[in-house]
Amino acid sequence: MASASPHLAPPSTALLLLEGRALPELAAFVAAYPLIASAPRGDGHPVLVLPGLITSDRSTGPLRTFLAGQGYAAHGWELGRNYGLLPGFERRMLDRVKQLNDEYGRKVSLVGWSLGGIYARQLAKALPDSVRSVITLGSPFAGSPRATNAWRLYEFTSGHKVDDRDNHMGGAIAAPPPVPTTAIYSRTDGICAWQCCVEVEGPITENIEVPGSHCGLGHNPAAVYAVADRLAQPEGTFTPFDRSGWRQVFYPDPARPH
């Protein structure tokens, strides 16, 4: 899949209003818990989950609880609310990854929701020997940084211009990390233009589309199942997500027309 055009507009007002689906998606997550728990089990390696803009570890609690139940050592970032790259945040995130790497003696998988996914990609580029894999949930790392309905909020809370986003840890945002990377996205995302949330597919990169909102991706049943499935891959290996059988009902063909 090709990278996004730099001239994309943010999602429409209609899609933005549909972000209210996030609450019913949480209810669906609870109802579907026994089914998504059939996902492949983990091997105990550490997983660091990074929250989106102006949210905290509280927002990723359902996902981390699920992953812990699947056999992963799931952790929050423990840095409070995500207001952007405030002074010292890059160093503190790098230290958090190193801490988990040292504590478990194993590479760390990074799961990032929205802005947290951008951090995850950049952390993997900065610490390739400490990171096992990266999974992003609706993270706008490609195309124009203004193709979202949140870029003004980011500039306000962080004090950084979105056009300067390549001048931070890890370098160019759109460049793929040097580890297995999965981008999970929704074409009905009301916050970020979905085309900005897809990776250029390659030997260790892929995209998985799920139906749903942006604000519900962290507890969207289809997204959560896909996260667990991807994390279960043995370290040092990569096999594309299997959409055959029953999965084709929930995971559309990414090659279908836009």
Side-chain angles (χ1 to χ4, degrees), residues 145-190:
R146 288 183 171 77
T148 82
N149 284 310
W151 69 269
R152 291 181 180 86
L153 178 60
Y154 173 81
E155 290 193 341
F156 176 76
T157 60
S158 70
H160 294 289
K161 296 295 184 182
V162 291
D163 293 324
D164 296 334
R165 63 182 188 169
D166 288 341
N167 299 323
H168 295 285
M169 64 177 180
I173 297 290
V179 300
T181 301
T182 298
I184 298 175
Y185 69 98
S186 168
R187 293 197 192 191
T188 57
D189 189 316

Side-chain angles (χ1 to χ4, degrees), residues 88-240:
F89 261 50
E90 289 182 323
R91 174 50 53 193
R92 294 172 70 185
M93 284 191 288
L94 291 165
D95 288 344
R96 182 71 170 128
V97 174
K98 293 176 184 177
Q99 174 199 356
L100 293 174
N101 185 202
D102 292 341
E103 179 180 346
Y104 290 91
R106 305 181 67 179
K107 291 185 177 181
V108 183
S109 286
L110 305 177
V111 179
W113 189 352
S114 195
L115 179 59
I118 293 178
Y119 294 163
R121 292 167 59 89
Q122 300 309 95
L123 286 166
K125 296 170 193 176
L127 298 171
D129 294 333
S130 299
V131 175
R132 171 167 166 163
S133 65
V134 170
I135 301 173
T136 61
L137 298 167
S139 300
F141 51 80
S144 170
R146 288 183 171 77
T148 82
N149 284 310
W151 69 269
R152 291 181 180 86
L153 178 60
Y154 173 81
E155 290 193 341
F156 176 76
T157 60
S158 70
H160 294 289
K161 296 295 184 182
V162 291
D163 293 324
D164 296 334
R165 63 182 188 169
D166 288 341
N167 299 323
H168 295 285
M169 64 177 180
I173 297 290
V179 300
T181 301
T182 298
I184 298 175
Y185 69 98
S186 168
R187 293 197 192 191
T188 57
D189 189 316
I191 303 298
C192 304
W194 68 266
Q195 297 93 334
C196 294
C197 304
V198 297
E199 183 63 87
V200 176
E201 295 191 351
I204 58 171
T205 58
E206 65 177 345
N207 299 291
I208 301 175
E209 180 187 349
V210 298
S213 68
H214 178 92
C215 295
L217 278 173
H219 50 255
N220 178 306
V224 171
Y225 181 94
V227 169
D229 181 274
R230 301 292 76 201
L231 290 174
Q233 296 182 95
E235 183 175 342
T237 68
F238 179 80
T239 302

